[in-house]
Amino acid sequence: MTDTQRNPTDTSGTLDEALERIHLSGPERDGWLSNHAPMAIEALVRHGHARVAHRWLDTYRPKLEDMPGSVAPVTALNWQEALGDISRVADWTAFFERETADRPWRTVLAEWWPRLLPGIAAGATHGVIRVGHAVRTLLEGEETAPRVRELAHALGYWAARHQPLPALARLAPAPDAAAALDRVPLIADQDGGIRSRFEQLTGLTGFPDWPGRAPSGPEAARAAIEELVRAATHRYATHGHADPIMLVHAATAPNAVLRTLPALPGTLWTPSLHAAWAASAAVTSAYGPREAQPVTEHLTAQAARAARAAQATPAAHAAPVAQAAPDAQHPQEVFERAAAHGDDHTIKFADTALDVGDAAALVAAGRAIELNTPAW
């Protein structure tokens, strides 16, 4: 993974202000859809777009709903009966607010990560994704009250939507993450919501055995997750057309796990790898296309648009067409386009593509910008 120009330590106060506004709302809307505001806002601020964060939130805020009312307190003694019960989301959020107020957030995370990890599919993987954004902010910047509270909200949502994936047989080993994703069998009926699709996973023979041999240690596990994120990000360029929104999670979910690793004990890194692979494979199976669209077709279309733009530009200012192709773009230019596009999933996927940082990842981010409907 590569670092690009960014502003992880927001000194403007914008992130904290936005989080305080977001925490007035619940984690879902319309009965199931996740609140993407904390994740998108964190990515916007991180990549130097704090100036548009509040405007973006002003547009998104009317979609949100209030936090549901409390049912009964979640405690250290009764938490198991509340796990996976979305009606208890306010209780879970209050529980983690108390936990992170009384103990260091890293201690709370290390205790609850292995409990929540089997339910990585929670909220269409948005539980773990929201945690990944929150942890990244805490690791790279100040541990302010709104940022710690955001981790509490993220953990609370994950716990309330906890959804284990079915245990599937391991098929023949794949040589690498890209091959493993290519070999994931698709569910029979790719219709309906993610819950009904994930229920069909039990009808599959299994998923490819990847990474096969157990990692030799924490660093090997981290490297394998990094490989998975890269492969899933690259794959979106040729496969994202099947469901441009949902297929971003094949990359953003394992990337959330990757972002969280530095805050976790090394003993949890290998289980995290297995959960990341299960999540990415499940999303791929549920939404992946029967046929890929060759990336060359996409690049050709982009080049044609660049050529037309060059023809309309005075010769003294025209850039060569090759420089306008997606694989020649600067990472921050790609994120600038995603921010201007405004769609929450597109912003989050561009954020992951910048983490990967290579030309193929930037092409994939450009594909998401092209496929998804702009927010404004």
Side-chain angles (χ1 to χ4, degrees):
M1 300 287 182
T2 64
D3 275 344
T4 58
Q5 182 181 354
R6 66 192 193 282
N7 180 30
T9 54
D10 172 44
T11 58
S12 69
T14 301
L15 178 60
D16 287 354
E17 292 169 359
L19 289 175
E20 288 176 338
R21 293 178 63 190
I22 292 166
H23 294 157
L24 298 174
S25 304
E28 289 187 345
R29 59 187 176 89
D30 298 332
W32 175 257
L33 299 178
S34 298
N35 178 354
H36 291 78
M39 300 168 273
I41 289 291
E42 189 272 338
L44 285 169
V45 172
R46 175 184 173 80
H47 293 288
H49 294 270
R51 67 188 184 281
V52 303
H54 279 296
R55 182 169 70 90
W56 187 94
L57 189 54
D58 289 342
T59 302
Y60 191 83
R61 180 69 180 83
K63 300 179 182 179
L64 303 181
E65 300 174 3
D66 293 339
M67 177 72 78
S70 174
V71 176
V74 172
T75 70
L77 298 178
N78 70 6
W79 66 267
Q80 289 178 309
E81 66 188 45
L83 193 63
D85 185 351
I86 191 59
S87 72
R88 306 291 299 278
V89 66
D91 303 322
W92 274 111
T93 302
F95 171 77
F96 282 113
E97 286 181 340
R98 294 193 301 271
E99 288 289 289
T100 53
D102 294 341
R103 297 189 290 160
W105 66 266
R106 288 173 181 258
T107 302
V108 176
L109 180 68
E111 178 181 347
W112 280 91
W113 184 262
R115 294 175 178 176
L116 298 178
L117 199 59
I120 194 170
T125 72
H126 288 106
V128 70
I129 293 172
R130 187 167 176 176
V131 167
H133 281 270
V135 168
R136 178 171 68 172
T137 299
L138 290 167
L139 288 173
E140 296 186 343
E142 291 184 68
E143 297 181 7
T144 63
R147 298 176 193 189
V148 175
R149 192 177 304 116
E150 170 55 22
L151 177 61
H153 278 243
L155 290 169
Y157 181 43
W158 190 356
R161 272 295 183 199
H162 192 267
Q163 181 185 359
L165 291 168
L168 299 178
R170 294 184 177 184
L171 303 181
D176 52 45
L181 288 169
D182 283 341
R183 298 178 187 179
V184 168
L186 304 182
I187 60 171
D189 182 14
Q190 289 185 320
D191 195 17
I194 194 168
R195 286 176 289 185
S196 64
R197 295 185 188 220
F198 279 179
E199 288 171 359
Q200 296 182 57
L201 294 174
T202 56
L204 300 178
T205 53
F207 285 153
D209 184 12
W210 183 86
R213 188 178 306 171
S216 58
E219 276 303 313
R222 183 204 60 75
I225 300 175
E226 187 175 279
E227 178 191 343
L228 174 60
V229 173
R230 181 179 296 107
T233 302
H234 290 176
R235 197 172 193 272
Y236 185 92
T238 51
H239 293 72
H241 61 277
D243 196 307
I245 292 293
M246 293 307 300
L247 284 171
V248 305
H249 304 98
T252 56
N255 199 34
V257 174
L258 184 63
R259 291 170 175 171
T260 307
L261 292 185
L264 297 171
T267 53
L268 297 179
W269 290 20
T270 294
S272 298
L273 162 62
H274 296 314
W277 164 240
S280 189
V283 171
T284 299
S285 178
Y287 292 95
R290 307 288 172 182
E291 299 290 340
Q293 286 186 351
V295 71
T296 52
E297 294 180 7
H298 172 59
L299 291 176
T300 299
Q302 291 277 6
R305 285 195 293 273
R308 290 194 295 271
Q311 290 171 359
T313 303
H317 303 287
V321 170
Q323 293 182 9
D327 61 348
Q329 292 180 359
H330 188 278
Q332 285 306 120
E333 179 188 348
V334 173
F335 194 86
E336 183 87 27
R337 291 173 57 211
H341 182 280
D343 172 69
D344 42 15
H345 285 91
T346 303
I347 290 169
K348 293 189 304 169
F349 185 71
D351 176 44
T352 285
L354 264 66
D355 281 351
V356 176
D358 58 26
L362 301 183
V363 169
R367 186 69 168 140
I369 294 167
E370 182 179 84
L371 289 171
N372 288 315
T373 303
W376 44 54

